[in-house]
Amino acid sequence: MLDLLLAGFGNVLSPQIFILITLGVAVGIVFGAVPGLTAVMAIALCLPMTYTLGPAAGISLLIALFVGATSGGLISAILLKIPGTPSSIATTFDGAPMMENGEGAKALGVGIVFSFIGTILSIGALMFIAPSLARVALSFGPHEYFAIAIFSLTLIATLSSGSMIKGIFAGVAGFAISTVGIAPVDAITRFTFGRVEINAGFSILTVLVGMFAVAEVIRVAESAHRKGGAPITPPLLVKIKGFGFSMAEFLGQIPNAIRSSLIGISIGILPGIGAGTSNIISYIAAKKRSKTPEKFGKGTIEGVVASETANNAGIGGAMIPLLTLGIPGDAVTAILLGGLMIHGIQPGPMLFITQGPLVYTIFAALVVAAIMMLILEFVGLRLFIKLLAIPKHILLPIILVLCAVGAFGLASRIFDVWTILAFGILGYAFVKAGMPTAPFIIGFILGPMAETNFRRGLQLSAGDFTGFLTNPIAGTFLALAALSILWQVYVALRPHKIATLPNAQD
Amino acid sequence: MSRNSELIIGLAMLGAGLGYLYLTMQLPRRGAVDATFFPYALGSAMAALGLLQILFTLRRSGFLPLAPSERLQPRQLLTVAATLGLVAGFIAALRPLGFPIAAALFLFAQFWLLTPSTQRPRPILYAVLAILSAVVIFVTFRYGFRLMLPGGPLTPYLP
């Protein structure tokens, strides 16, 4: 393992990959920091650049974007009181009051350092858990994979924000869209209307880019002429000394950071409830365990530490099911999965056997990206603050053109560019209908996995459906899937009180 | 969201499920569990969820009227339609005009269209930015990443 890891570091510290990681982290931070731009957009628009790179270089770039974008959200969360990404919502609760109290530099320093710590701890967990889980997963057959796919889909659909009916519908609709093309096992063409371009189904990337990036441009178009929107003015910061906090303050936050990391990693592993949830849960946990809970919401570093450690700890957590089972937990890991597949890498337990050096290159890339994130956010903070003021009406059309280039680059077909427009309209319709997009994407990705393994599982058990229930692992996951639906139905039907969080935005 | 909006969403969900089921029925059958098994299950689930959405909306009370800021104004709808038209035009023009010209025209128009009402459009800046962005993207991808973006009428002049 150690020799593979050293070889991985050797790969990522080569000048080409190191420069790519540095650029990737910088671009990621900007996308995380600017409200409205997302990690998915950052990865989508850089994907075509990886087409001609080798797998190690291409994947390192994508991972650097992921790490940078997850952390970048803290900049706008603290400076503008607007979370750049959902994973930084709880950072605003204490980061923004600290900014108002003249402690903006300290809040940023704390956020940056504990983002780094959260990332590193989660990479440690990834390196420790993933190979063992992959060994266990090697014994999984179609029954287990079908059950895990259904469990993941159920979890993400029921736990998505908003109405559960709409969440489940979105997951089922994504699954339905994935049935377009040649069917598994009996190879019948379904719903292609004679178009050979979709015989292999829609590409994950065109669906993701359309649903997220194009839909966002349409959404911005809608609000462009709404009255009351003030342009973003980057705030001024006083001179920053070191990271802005003392060693005693740092040491005092270690238990909080470890607890928040564990929350972030555990939640990150589960599909559907990633950093967007873990930052809030660890904030609540930190408040409950704090000796001074009354300071929460008024500007305490404990709140910033809890949120930022947890959301970055989700990075390693989310990579565990992605690499070992090929199951993405959210849209960002879904687009990473697309990127891996473009480079001919099929995540799953076999990846650890057939492409061991590449897996450890990914681990090394994560570590180097985390270190670069710490350095770049500290050194380039003033530059990133200036970038917050880039007008969206300039940025988004350029992003859209880059997305079109990415779609065209998949197979040099204009058809794929039309596809992103179609899915963009669908994504916009989802936003207007209050329907969550993540279950759709996960349904689209896990659909073929579920169907193929269901058909194969039935063939193995000679058409006997009970094989899925008598297999202990498959039976457990299917039972958990059923329980998660029943629990959510119970939660939806019982009268509930609304939890209040300090400074919570609506 | 208003009761009517939720009802329309429910009807759209039901319609999507029924439409998918109709398309599934056109597929050839090869036994009880074949290529239509999942489409039938998914279509039925979509239709059932649509019905549930309609039923819950009809049973639920306490819908609040939309706030004025939530209502789409005709100008906003026009901007959305124009954006969609511009994107469609850009894609349609990719082959005949080539990427550099199509992208520059699209960017110029889209910059202008998305300019917030609180700011004055700056056509010269937009034109320079549009041309510069289109050229940089085209050169970077065509020569840097060997992605053969269509050159259109410029093809004979390209190295």
Side-chain angles (χ1 to χ4, degrees), chain A residues 398-481:
Chain A
I398 296 175
I399 290 172
L400 201 141
V401 169
L402 283 166
C403 290
V405 170
F408 178 81
L410 285 171
S412 296
R413 298 185 311 197
I414 301 286
F415 175 82
D416 291 319
V417 193
W418 282 114
T419 312
I420 64 165
L421 176 62
F423 280 104
I425 295 170
L426 185 66
Y428 177 67
F430 266 47
V431 172
K432 297 310 290 176
M435 208 169 273
T437 317
F440 179 89
I441 298 295
I442 303 298
F444 179 77
I445 292 170
L446 295 184
M449 181 179 166
E451 185 176 9
T452 307
N453 285 297
F454 179 78
R455 301 287 305 275
R456 283 185 192 153
L458 270 188
Q459 282 177 334
L460 282 177
S461 51
D464 183 8
F465 286 90
T466 57
F468 291 98
L469 300 173
T470 51
N471 178 305
I473 296 173
T476 307
F477 275 109
L478 288 176
L480 285 172

Side-chain angles (χ1 to χ4, degrees), chain A residues 230-243:
Chain A
I232 289 171
T233 320
L236 291 170
L237 275 179
V238 290
K239 194 169 166 46
I240 306 170
K241 262 189 186 171
F243 279 106

Side-chain angles (χ1 to χ4, degrees), chain A residues 28-114:
Chain A
I29 292 171
V30 174
F31 273 72
V34 178
L37 302 189
T38 59
V40 177
M41 276 188 198
I43 296 174
L45 75 87
C46 288
L47 257 175
M49 297 173 195
T50 73
Y51 293 164
T52 51
L53 299 172
I59 301 304
S60 297
L61 173 64
L62 301 182
I63 279 170
L65 289 160
F66 179 27
V67 172
T70 307
S71 174
L74 78 98
I75 298 175
S76 53
I78 292 169
L79 298 180
L80 304 173
K81 213 180 174 180
I82 304 168
T85 57
S87 56
S88 295
I89 290 171
T91 310
T92 59
F93 300 163
D94 279 289
M98 282 179 80
M99 181 72 194
E100 284 162 11
N101 300 338
E103 292 185 308
K106 186 175 179 177
L108 283 168
V110 166
I112 291 167
V113 170
F114 284 92

